[in-house]
Amino acid sequence: MKMMKQNVMIAGLALVLLSATACKDGNKNEPAAPMSNEMHQESMDDMMDDKPMNEDDEMAMNNGQDAKAEAILTDYFKLKDALVADDNAKAKELGASLATTLGKLDISEYTDTQQSDLKDIVEDAVEHAEHISESDIAHQREHFKVLSKDVTDMVAITGTENTVYQQFCPMYDGGSAWLSTSKDVKNPYYGSKMLTCGKVQKEIN
Amino acid sequence: MKVLKIIAWIALIAFVVIQFFPMDYNQSETLPQTDFMLVNKVPATVEKSLQVSCYDCHSNYTKYPWYNKVQPVAWFLEDHIKEGKAELNFNEWDTYSDRRKNSKLRSIIKQIENGQMPLDSYTLIHRDAILSKEEKEAVLNYMKTLKDDLE
């Protein structure tokens, strides 16, 4: 009897322990959510503060729909710069604010097909931006690749007031493109590891 | 020894008590027309791999063998299902735009290639969910053809 009791106890303990460890990688991800929300807030404030400094941006804000596309580009470029600088934490922050800005894109003045394209683009891009807001830098760069395609496709519809350069590095993940405001190549996929991989592929506008 | 015994008893009692907490089963009665298997011509072997290794967390229908009904295993699973479905729900495949399908396929391929899916914590208990080298290859090849067709 005594033996049995002890056996049951040991079995019970073992089960509890087993199940407590069973899902440790599930838990690992949890702190990300509330944290990114906070950052979200902060970077929103940041964005507001930045606004008056950038006149182009402010003007763009005043003429309706394109303004938002312009704001998305601004956030995208900041994110790109953070990746160029190998700055994981900053990229997280900027990923979160880009997700918010993307969500605010006003598509009401486009044609039906353009609207449905833009909706698809935004839906996909938001997901990538959100992932960037909670990942390590390697994962951020993976998502940045697809995000870059989304943003490029968006610009093809919305246009932009400033000249934008599409750059391309054949080495990262079978060849990857990104957008930049400058002709100079600074690679967001490699950062300091291979900063200059790539060339200007196309000039937009 | 005495202390250890008390702790063991408390753990055992707690373990028994939590079995009586109600749980939400992720078991939808209907299979939507938008399901991955219904809208794609999935080879039988790939279909089986996905059903066994992924559908528990990435669809509206989870199989619950006895050990999945044991708390706190069930709670952890419930959490995974919620998170997993938000990322990818095979039942809703055809509601995704081509662009998103492309993104999802990309991500599926990456996750399997890197061995991140199915989750280790899951295969610890669900041994049959582990993909063999051949199964992995078959799934990856299929996902890659789907992706190429989209592009």
Side-chain angles (χ1 to χ4, degrees):
Chain A
M1 188 58 203
K2 191 113 182 258
M3 267 296 276
M4 213 182 95
K5 249 197 218 158
Q6 232 154 27
N7 282 347
V8 169
M9 254 164 25
I10 290 168
L13 251 183
L15 255 172
V16 171
L17 283 178
L18 178 74
S19 34
T21 49
C23 286
K24 59 178 185 311
D25 46 354
N27 292 346
K28 200 169 59 194
N29 290 332
E30 266 158 32
M35 238 169 68
S36 66
N37 272 344
E38 254 169 58
M39 280 187 225
H40 210 122
Q41 288 283 330
E42 263 175 48
S43 39
M44 281 285 288
D45 295 343
D46 268 7
M47 245 174 51
M48 304 290 218
D49 290 342
D50 282 354
K51 278 283 147 52
M53 283 162 58
N54 189 335
E55 276 189 15
D56 283 359
D57 227 37
E58 219 178 13
M59 272 173 40
M61 290 305 285
N62 296 335
N63 60 17
Q65 58 186 25
D66 282 347
K68 294 279 171 55
E70 227 56 70
I72 289 170
L73 276 172
T74 309
D75 278 9
Y76 169 86
F77 291 132
K78 283 193 203 160
L79 172 61
K80 180 211 52 150
D81 291 340
L83 291 175
V84 166
D86 300 314
D87 192 337
N88 175 237
K90 188 120 185 253
K92 279 187 184 177
E93 228 174 86
L94 293 166
S97 54
L98 176 58
T100 317
T101 318
L102 276 163
K104 289 192 200 142
L105 180 67
D106 176 13
I107 59 172
S108 57
E109 285 171 48
Y110 294 95
T111 68
D112 284 352
T113 20
Q114 284 177 330
Q115 285 196 13
S116 100
D117 283 350
L118 283 172
K119 241 192 243 155
D120 289 352
I121 291 171
V122 165
E123 198 176 25
D124 194 65
V126 165
E127 218 169 76
H128 293 296
E130 280 171 352
H131 268 118
I132 288 173
S133 76
E134 47 195 45
S135 316
D136 59 70
I137 195 147
H139 208 60
Q140 285 179 329
R141 285 172 166 147
E142 275 172 22
H143 283 289
F144 185 74
K145 172 172 178 169
V146 194
L147 178 68
S148 292
K149 177 162 194 313
D150 288 339
V151 173
T152 308
D153 293 346
M154 178 197 81
V155 173
I157 297 173
T158 62
T160 166
E161 305 184 331
N162 310 304
T163 306
V164 172
Y165 301 93
Q166 182 178 322
Q167 306 183 333
F168 181 83
C169 162
M171 300 196 45
Y172 182 84
D173 192 22
S176 305
W178 71 95
L179 299 178
S180 172
T181 48
S182 150
K183 261 189 191 142
D184 292 339
V185 170
K186 286 196 184 134
N187 191 311
Y189 299 109
Y190 287 113
S192 58
K193 235 194 285 172
M194 213 188 311
L195 196 57
T196 54
C197 174
K199 58 178 187 339
V200 174
Q201 201 177 29
K202 204 160 88 185
E203 200 175 305
I204 300 168
N205 255 10
Chain B
M1 192 55 207
K2 187 111 193 228
V3 180
L4 209 70
K5 247 189 184 168
I6 293 171
I7 292 173
W9 271 113
I10 291 173
L12 185 61
I13 291 166
F15 177 72
V16 170
V17 167
I18 59 175
Q19 302 313 316
F20 293 96
F21 282 57
M23 63 186 266
D24 279 333
Y25 287 108
N26 179 45
Q27 291 196 323
S28 156
E29 300 282 316
T30 53
L31 182 64
Q33 288 305 303
T34 51
D35 183 63
F36 187 83
M37 306 301 175
L38 294 179
V39 297
N40 296 307
K41 291 197 197 68
V42 187
T45 47
V46 174
E47 173 165 353
K48 184 171 158 286
S49 296
L50 295 177
Q51 294 278 11
V52 173
S53 303
C54 317
Y55 265 56
D56 270 1
C57 301
H58 292 289
S59 84
N60 300 329
Y61 194 92
T62 307
K63 291 199 200 68
Y64 292 94
W66 68 268
Y67 47 83
N68 276 0
K69 292 186 182 159
V70 177
Q71 300 291 15
V73 174
W75 282 330
F76 284 119
L77 189 64
E78 198 176 323
D79 237 36
H80 280 160
I81 293 168
K82 218 165 62 201
E83 259 186 78
K85 264 165 64 172
E87 286 287 344
L88 167 68
N89 188 336
F90 280 111
N91 286 160
E92 291 169 5
W93 185 256
D94 217 29
T95 65
Y96 298 147
S97 66
D98 281 0
R99 183 178 294 271
R100 277 184 94 206
K101 281 182 186 142
N102 204 357
S103 281
K104 300 286 174 201
L105 286 168
R106 213 186 132 73
S107 170
I108 290 170
I109 292 166
K110 281 256 147 63
Q111 294 285 323
I112 296 180
E113 272 177 352
N114 298 339
Q116 286 165 299
M117 289 287 151
L119 291 176
D120 290 345
S121 56
Y122 177 79
T123 51
L124 193 71
I125 305 178
H126 301 72
R127 304 306 292 178
D128 57 337
I130 298 173
L131 294 173
S132 72
K133 197 160 160 275
E134 292 75 33
E135 287 169 334
K136 235 185 212 181
E137 223 155 79
V139 173
L140 284 175
N141 278 338
Y142 180 68
M143 294 297 176
K144 281 173 187 165
T145 46
L146 268 191
K147 186 163 179 296
D148 288 345
D149 286 349
L150 276 178
E151 273 163 5

